Amino acid sequence: MNEEGSGTTPAETARAEAKAFFRDGEPLLEVCEDWGDSYRILEEDGKVLIQGGKTGILYGVWQRILDCLCKRRSSAERRSPRCALRMLQCWDNMDGTIERGYSGPSLWFEKGTVSFDPARLRMLGRLLSSVGINVLCVNNVNVREPAQGLIEEKLPELRSLADLFRPYGIRLMVSVDFSQPIRAGLADADPLNEETARWWQRTTDRVYEAIPDLAGYLVKADSEHRPGPFTYGRSHAEGANMLARALRPHGGQLVWRAFVYNCMQDWRDDQTDRPAAAYQTYAPLDGQFDDNVVLQVKHGPFDFQVREPVSPLLFGMPQTRLGMEVQLAQEYTGQQIDLYYMAPMWEEVCRDLGEKRPTILAAVSNLGRDACLTGDPLAMANLFAFGRFAWYNEARPKESAEEWARLTYGFTPAEEEKLVSALLGSRRVYEKYTSPLGLCWMVNPGVHYGPSPDGYEYQSWGTYHRADRNAVGIDRTKTGTGYLLQYPPALQERYGTLERCPEEYLLFFHRVAYDKVLRDGRTLIQRIYDDHFEGCAEAEKMAAELETLPFPGEEKPLILDRLSRQISNAREWRDVINTFFHRLSGADDGMGRTIYP
Ligand code: GCU
């Protein structure tokens, strides 16, 4: 056991954590060899027994600690996670930067090497395991030198990270570059070239000698200029299976991302529709992937926008192991400046998926070297909620917000209620002042923070709203791009007509005239104005409420700073977007509020 209270196995860590927390009246722990991640907490005559598998015992101890801090009895039910893989995926580069990172530099890479503060990483291991995360992918999906070396000359460095996280029941995963054999001197990376396959097998065998419990590889191929099987005229099943076969003897998983679309689209082309791309690429390959391949699909068909309908691909591949990817890093959702609690969004995704919910969940990390780890201390609520979501395979927004608030701050019930209601309302507020009614992509290109209504309009990324003086939005029904037809019939019916389509998705699925009267009796243009004015006013109100809370001294200035930046951002969005539509439509605001000329 070391000074931070961890052991060398999860069971030893469980004992050490229990000893440290329950100074007197420590629970009895019993390891049940074949229980895996599951556990049970039994209370009788003031004595507590926690039974659990080799990793489950640790989850049992965390649950008991959580119950004690929340001052409630533990359930005696045997609990098992509904998702076997609960992954956090870090977009950390080896120079120490983080792609889409808003919390400072990487916690484990610096100047091209693995470099970390062991005490801090052990603390992180505790944090991640305490919310149930069991796989950590340590490097960016866009693998750039020298990160290729992590599975070759830098393997000992990768191993040092694996050794550090192992006591917390966390297995490492590594992002690999599909063209890596070329770096090693091979003529090509063609997945059907036997030499390529042999190279991957040899390399992977060596990786597993060093890290026998590596969870596997993560791959971004043929996406945003990354290399992939298309270069050789091969399918993604052929590419993924070749890698999966190298991992198979070691029990490793190959996580293959389905984020494939044409990022060199001509904006004049209104037939190609980016949201349709993943389904078009992958649905025909259903049944062709090996069983240690996970096809990892972003929850929406675009790219982590403020609001998107669920990805149709998640319904379209019944013979394939699917994983779902969410993004804790607030790339399009406020960059850990504006408050945006994500669990309500995941709840909707789960509702729409029903029985089709994948049982493998991954989140793009929001962590970095900042003192509070998440830039905005309140953004930690998203990591906590994701851990719970992946455990239960159910988003539970309110319960997670309450537990997180209670464990983090120990406020009075009235204060806690204020924080929880701000968290629960935050997404809707952000959505109203940025992108109401399913309008996406009006952000500043590249940075993805702040308004720029035409910023992506004439670019190659396939992200157009096509606003003109009469109307805005894209017709994605069968009279338009036909994207809607990728959904099962019930969702086609729900989204397919103006009368039924939920207003949050209106302009995603339909092109609507500004003077069209919506279901609530207001015209589209009036709704656009109203939502932006209201969203901004609600952000101001939410900030005023949060400012009254007694956050700890070191957090308060960070939180206040972010709230004031959120308000400036909200005002900017309100005014820029309202002016944009006012100039185009010529329609005045029915309430006579200020819209700048
Ligand atoms: C977004 C993001 C990129 C990232 C990509 C991905 O497009 O802006 O930085 O690489 O998603 O998910 O691969």
Side-chain angles (χ1 to χ4, degrees), residues 338-415:
D338 303 34
L339 191 66
Y340 187 107
Y341 176 59
M342 297 180 176
M345 160 161 77
W346 307 330
E347 188 182 41
E348 281 169 18
V349 172
C350 290
R351 182 203 58 204
D352 289 348
L353 284 171
E355 294 295 295
K356 301 281 185 190
R357 259 178 295 171
T359 54
I360 296 168
L361 288 181
V364 179
S365 165
N366 58 357
L367 301 174
R369 211 173 275 212
D370 275 2
C372 72
L373 293 167
T374 48
D376 175 5
L378 300 180
M380 187 57 90
N382 284 325
L383 181 70
F384 180 86
F386 172 71
R388 303 287 73 198
F389 173 24
W391 181 278
Y392 297 112
N393 203 13
E394 216 180 82
R396 303 185 172 202
K398 185 150 186 285
E399 183 185 304
S400 294
E402 283 169 356
E403 284 187 349
W404 177 77
R406 195 156 312 159
L407 296 168
T408 309
Y409 297 116
F411 286 156
T412 63
E415 291 161 351

Side-chain angles (χ1 to χ4, degrees), residues 557-573:
L558 291 173
I559 294 173
L560 293 184
D561 166 63
R562 279 164 174 77
L563 291 173
S564 85
R565 284 156 72 192
Q566 170 162 12
I567 291 171
S568 313
N569 189 38
R571 290 180 183 154
E572 194 63 10
W573 273 97

Side-chain angles (χ1 to χ4, degrees), residues 24 90 93 143 177 188 203 228 287 291 355 403 432 436 467 503 564:
D24 26 68
C90 302
N93 299 312
V143 187
D177 172 356
D188 60 52
T203 304
D291 60 9
E355 294 295 295
E403 284 187 349
K432 279 170 100 174
E503 283 182 350
S564 85

Side-chain angles (χ1 to χ4, degrees), residues 91 99-100 140-142 220 223-224 257 259 261 274 298 303-304 325 327 331-332 448:
W91 288 356
E99 180 149 338
R100 312 302 175 188
N140 191 356
V141 286
N142 297 313
K220 172 175 178 178
S223 163
E224 301 184 329
R257 297 178 82 230
F259 183 54
Y261 67 98
R274 172 167 161 183
K298 291 191 182 191
D303 186 9
F304 303 133
E325 182 179 307
Q327 190 189 39
E331 178 177 355
Y332 294 95
H448 301 165

